Amino acid sequence: MDLFKPHKEDKKDEGQDLATLLSPEQRGELTLLVASATSSMRKTIEDTFDASHVGAGLEAAKQESPNVDAAKLSPEEQESQRKAQETRERELSAPRLQELKEAALDFFDKWQDSVVLRVGEVLNSREAGAHPREDVTPSDAHPHETKRRDGKGDEDGDGDDGIQPALLELYPQISTPLASLGYDQRVLILHSMLLLLLSLEHYIAHSRVLLLRLTLALHLPLHLLSTDETKVARGLLEAAKQLSGDDETQKRSDENKIARRWKVGLASVAGAAVIGVTGGLAAPLVAAGIGGVMGGLGLGATAAAGYLGTLAGSGVLVGGLFGAYRGRMTGKMMDAYAREVQDFAFLPVRSSKRSWSTPHDSTPADRRLRVVIGVTGWLTDKSEVVTPWRVIGNKAAEPFALRWELSALLSLGNALTAMVTSAAWGYAKSEIIKRTIFASLTAALWPIGLLKISRVVDNPFSVAKARAEKAGEVLADALFNKAQGERPVSLIGYSLGARAIHACLLSLARRRAFGLVESVVLIGAPLPSDAADWRVMRTVVSGRLVNVFSANDYILAFLYRTSSIQLGVAGLQPIAHVRGVQNVDVSAAVSGHLKYRYVVGSILKKIDFEDVDLEEVEREEAALRVVEKEEEKSEQSETGARDADDEARRLEEEVKLKNKQSDVRE
């Protein structure tokens, strides 16, 4: 680290580091905390393949505890559970799943070793004990903080502990003496850990989950981590502007032209220019730049650059972190495979260039260390590619909307809208509601009039469903080839958007592409609820995997009636027997599939998703109220019975007209 040693006149800017902050015993506690957190993360992977986990079945979800005491079950129920577990054990013993488990653990172990080694290098360096210091005690705490030992965090002066119940359930707090340190000291520890993880030259999903666990263990508010990530992203990009070395940038671009199947516009042309990176090595300048941006957190320029390692001295590495050299997220991603999916592009949600038609990059000010991608499941207007995802905040994450197969999604959206406003649907809904959705599904008890107009939606749904599978493969291709850079990605999708994400995750699992995806939220998903696929998906999701369902989604049930009902429907019921899948029932709020378009923000808020713009959620709720009033007026205006065949023909003509209007509308 000689490159990062300051000149004598710079010593006043050296600030603190972990060596001056912590005693040898406390450095040992930090090492132990990292080891404990990573061990818990490893166990999460192992638990995914645990056949003994019962989970929340359809009937168990109605009980207070899904894991019912076997002693309270009847002999027949005990025998049923025994057979079910034997089935799961046979499934998990299959070579395919055993190989997946081994690959997931092998990837994790290599990452864990690199983290432990990097932390050890810093905490056990020769300089670590060379700084005279006074032991920091709990009395050094931040004057405004209130210590909390009840698992709810502590306050940092603004009254918001920021620790969400859903995260506490997924990541139980680890007890550590470091939680008794002063607030400023704990903040500096967390900040230092972020820089150390970035020094690995990537910020994969595992690293982000580790920081979440450390934040909870140190009793710090989660918004502090998000704020720190944003400041570090800006600091890296600002410092990278000071670097020079076009030769290195060109060399990296040339290598990618040959090595990457994903042939996208390279950063030497556009991506690097957008974020202001020119490549090269200029460590002293970077140390000054990073220190200037991050010095407010108490870490000196020398320590910051030292913790970042080679990342602090290379604009090429910084550019790679943000996706500048692997391929632009919004460029033309058309190799032989991608041509199978039309209109495939990533659109920045928060860009000033609000356009569904023209892909464009985020501005430097919008760059973040994390990415969130929203995937729409149908369209009634092309602007809806982006509009539902404005509820995703950009304070800590860089939100994108996935544009895919506009024609197919518009055709489906127009067909669904026509069907739910028909007299046949109004009558059918009153009949279906008299019995459960699953009775209708399993016994095919659908009203004849509804079945006669089914041709209006069946073909558009089948086409869009098939396209969703291909779009998911291309999305996996983009993530695998680091179109998003070396940053964790979270995926959110409703309806067929969730289906596309499902296909993406299965593809990533086949490629053994671990550590790319942080969290996934699937809303009203038209895909199987059986444990097999969800177990596979869980292995490539480092953080939260959420299934949002509504038992009152009659539209989804009707659309899915010709599929493999025996495997269940994720959008209608909870996922059972897979540890780590969070089931969220929104039956009370969602009575129809088309409502999901207007409740994405409310759902994300309900599940304590980190990146939610509450102002946009309010706008979304207002839009929902308008739609509901229009639906009420439409229902009141519907009088008298109609011939089902005549209505089917009328609806087909209506959908054709809407599709033509969508094609010509800009």
Side-chain angles (χ1 to χ4, degrees):
M1 296 297 177
D2 291 340
L3 285 173
F4 304 124
K5 288 185 178 180
H7 300 290
K8 290 183 179 180
E9 60 269 26
D10 294 331
K11 285 186 177 180
K12 62 186 178 188
D13 297 324
E14 187 173 352
Q16 291 195 86
D17 57 21
L18 294 178
T20 61
L21 175 68
L22 303 177
S23 67
E25 294 77 12
Q26 290 164 340
R27 293 197 293 274
E29 290 292 345
L30 179 55
T31 303
L32 181 61
L33 175 59
V34 172
S36 299
T38 54
S39 295
S40 295
M41 293 169 64
R42 192 181 198 279
K43 189 175 186 304
T44 298
I45 300 175
E46 295 173 333
D47 287 345
T48 301
F49 299 89
D50 181 5
S52 65
H53 182 63
V54 176
L58 186 58
E59 295 302 321
K62 302 175 183 177
Q63 303 175 7
E64 192 168 320
S65 173
N67 295 306
V68 182
D69 186 356
K72 298 180 181 179
L73 299 176
S74 67
E76 292 79 10
E77 290 172 326
Q78 291 184 33
E79 178 65 14
S80 177
Q81 281 202 358
R82 185 187 64 79
K83 289 182 178 179
Q85 181 160 340
E86 288 179 353
T87 300
R88 292 194 297 274
E89 288 174 349
R90 285 195 299 271
E91 171 196 310
L92 289 169
S93 64
R96 178 179 68 92
L97 284 180
Q98 287 300 310
E99 291 171 2
L100 179 63
K101 177 182 179 181
E102 182 179 349
L105 290 173
D106 181 63
F107 178 90
F108 182 86
D109 289 342
K110 291 177 180 177
W111 169 82
Q112 183 183 34
D113 289 345
S114 67
V115 171
V116 172
L117 178 62
R118 183 69 181 112
V119 172
E121 287 175 349
V122 171
L123 296 181
N124 302 318
S125 63
R126 287 179 300 175
E127 292 82 3
H131 300 271
R133 61 178 293 284
E134 296 181 4
D135 286 348
V136 180
T137 64
S139 61
D140 296 319
H142 192 282
H144 298 294
E145 86 176 302
T146 301
K147 285 191 171 52
R148 298 287 292 275
R149 307 302 299 185
D150 58 358
K152 296 182 180 179
D154 55 39
E155 299 180 3
D156 65 344
D158 62 1
D160 178 16
D161 59 32
I163 298 181
Q164 300 135 346
L167 283 180
L168 280 176
E169 183 178 353
L170 187 61
Y171 311 131
Q173 280 184 311
I174 302 171
S175 178
T176 173
L178 297 177
S180 297
L181 290 175
Y183 178 81
D184 292 338
Q185 285 75 27
R186 284 177 285 139
V187 170
L188 196 144
I189 290 174
L190 183 65
H191 177 59
S192 299
M193 286 301 305
L194 172 58
L195 299 185
L196 289 175
L197 290 172
L198 287 172
S199 73
L200 301 177
E201 299 181 7
H202 55 62
Y203 188 44
I204 66 172
H206 289 329
S207 296
R208 216 283 162 153
V209 172
L210 173 58
L211 285 176
L212 283 174
R213 289 179 176 269
L214 296 181
T215 302
L216 297 176
L218 294 172
H219 290 229
L220 291 170
L222 286 183
H223 68 77
L224 186 73
L225 172 60
S226 298
T227 301
D228 196 16
E229 288 175 320
T230 301
K231 289 181 178 178
V232 169
R234 290 174 178 171
L236 287 172
L237 292 171
E238 185 64 32
K241 291 179 181 179
Q242 304 178 38
L243 302 180
S244 60
D246 292 336
D247 291 341
E248 184 179 352
T249 303
Q250 187 61 48
K251 178 182 178 182
R252 181 67 173 267
S253 298
D254 291 342
E255 290 174 353
N256 277 275
K257 289 178 182 177
I258 299 173
R260 295 290 174 188
R261 182 172 74 90
W262 194 261
K263 296 180 180 179
V264 188
L266 294 172
S268 58
V269 178
V274 169
I275 65 173
V277 176
T278 59
L281 295 168
L285 289 177
V286 176
I290 289 178
V293 174
M294 303 178 190
L297 294 172
L299 194 65
T302 302
Y307 289 172
L308 281 170
T310 54
L311 185 68
S314 174
V316 168
L317 293 179
V318 173
L321 181 67
F322 290 94
Y325 300 98
R326 305 285 185 169
R328 295 171 57 210
M329 291 193 70
T330 57
K332 291 183 178 180
M333 303 181 179
M334 293 298 164
D335 60 7
Y337 187 85
R339 290 192 187 94
E340 296 184 23
V341 177
Q342 299 177 12
D343 309 312
F344 189 89
F346 296 88
L347 307 181
V349 172
R350 296 290 175 165
S351 172
S352 58
K353 304 175 183 178
R354 295 192 183 278
S355 171
W356 58 264
S357 60
T358 307
H360 49 278
D361 288 290
S362 298
T363 63
D366 293 329
R367 294 287 180 172
R368 300 291 184 267
L369 282 177
R370 296 187 293 116
V371 172
V372 179
I373 300 174
V375 189
T376 301
W378 73 84
L379 299 171
T380 56
D381 186 87
K382 293 176 181 179
S383 64
E384 290 180 342
V385 171
V386 172
T387 302
W389 309 112
R390 289 176 183 167
V391 296
I392 301 174
N394 68 334
K395 291 183 179 179
E398 192 174 340
F400 286 84
L402 182 66
R403 194 187 75 186
W404 62 285
E405 291 288 355
L406 291 181
S407 179
L409 294 182
L410 283 165
S411 178
L412 175 60
N414 291 333
L416 288 174
T417 302
M419 185 188 77
V420 300
T421 56
S422 68
W425 178 256
Y427 171 77
K429 187 175 180 181
S430 65
E431 290 296 308
I432 297 169
I433 205 169
K434 296 176 183 178
R435 52 186 179 266
T436 67
I437 279 183
F438 295 98
S440 298
L441 278 173
T442 56
L445 299 175
W446 298 101
I448 297 299
L450 181 60
L451 292 176
K452 286 186 176 182
I453 68 167
S454 64
R455 64 176 186 262
V456 176
V457 294
D458 282 351
N459 186 60
F461 180 72
S462 297
V463 171
K465 182 181 171 185
R467 302 286 174 83
E469 297 286 335
K470 294 181 178 180
E473 290 280 357
V474 178
L475 176 59
D477 217 17
L479 299 183
F480 182 76
N481 287 284
K482 307 297 176 65
Q484 90 291 353
E486 300 283 356
R487 302 176 290 174
V489 175
S490 290
L491 302 171
I492 309 170
Y494 62 85
S495 188
L496 288 178
R499 180 91 185 189
I501 293 174
H502 164 260
C504 169
L505 297 178
L506 294 184
S507 178
L508 291 177
R510 289 193 296 270
R511 304 173 192 223
R512 304 298 189 253
F514 308 106
L516 298 177
V517 179
E518 179 187 352
S519 294
V520 170
V521 182
L522 302 181
I523 304 171
L527 54 95
S529 62
D530 69 310
D533 279 2
W534 287 82
R535 206 180 303 279
V536 173
M537 288 193 293
R538 188 71 189 92
T539 61
V540 292
V541 179
S542 301
R544 303 172 65 183
L545 177 56
V546 184
N547 175 50
V548 180
F549 68 95
S550 170
N552 296 324
D553 190 349
Y554 303 102
I555 299 174
L556 175 59
F558 184 69
L559 291 172
Y560 210 76
R561 72 192 185 284
T562 59
S563 301
S564 302
I565 300 302
Q566 69 275 14
L567 299 178
V569 187
L572 301 177
Q573 62 191 116
I575 308 303
H577 313 309
V578 183
R579 192 185 297 273
V581 176
Q582 178 186 357
N583 291 295
V584 179
D585 188 349
V586 294
S587 300
V590 178
S591 59
H593 201 62
L594 297 184
K595 292 287 179 65
Y596 282 125
R597 153 69 179 83
Y598 299 98
V599 296
V600 171
S602 299
I603 289 173
L604 294 180
K605 180 181 176 182
K606 176 183 175 68
I607 68 174
D608 292 326
F609 192 75
E610 283 187 80
D611 308 292
V612 180
D613 187 325
L614 297 181
E615 291 185 1
E616 289 291 344
V617 173
E618 291 179 358
R619 294 189 183 96
E620 180 188 71
E621 292 172 346
L624 175 61
R625 289 191 292 270
V626 171
V627 170
E628 289 176 336
K629 287 182 180 179
E630 292 177 351
E631 288 179 354
E632 291 178 4
K633 293 179 180 178
S634 176
E635 291 175 359
Q636 292 172 358
S637 64
E638 287 286 346
T639 57
R642 294 182 179 177
D643 179 79
D645 291 318
D646 289 342
E647 185 169 37
R649 286 190 288 271
R650 180 185 65 81
L651 292 177
E652 285 180 321
E653 292 301 319
E654 179 182 328
V655 171
K656 287 180 181 178
L657 178 60
K658 287 183 177 180
N659 289 342
K660 288 181 180 179
Q661 292 173 343
S662 298
D663 289 337
V664 300
R665 190 184 303 147
E666 293 185 359

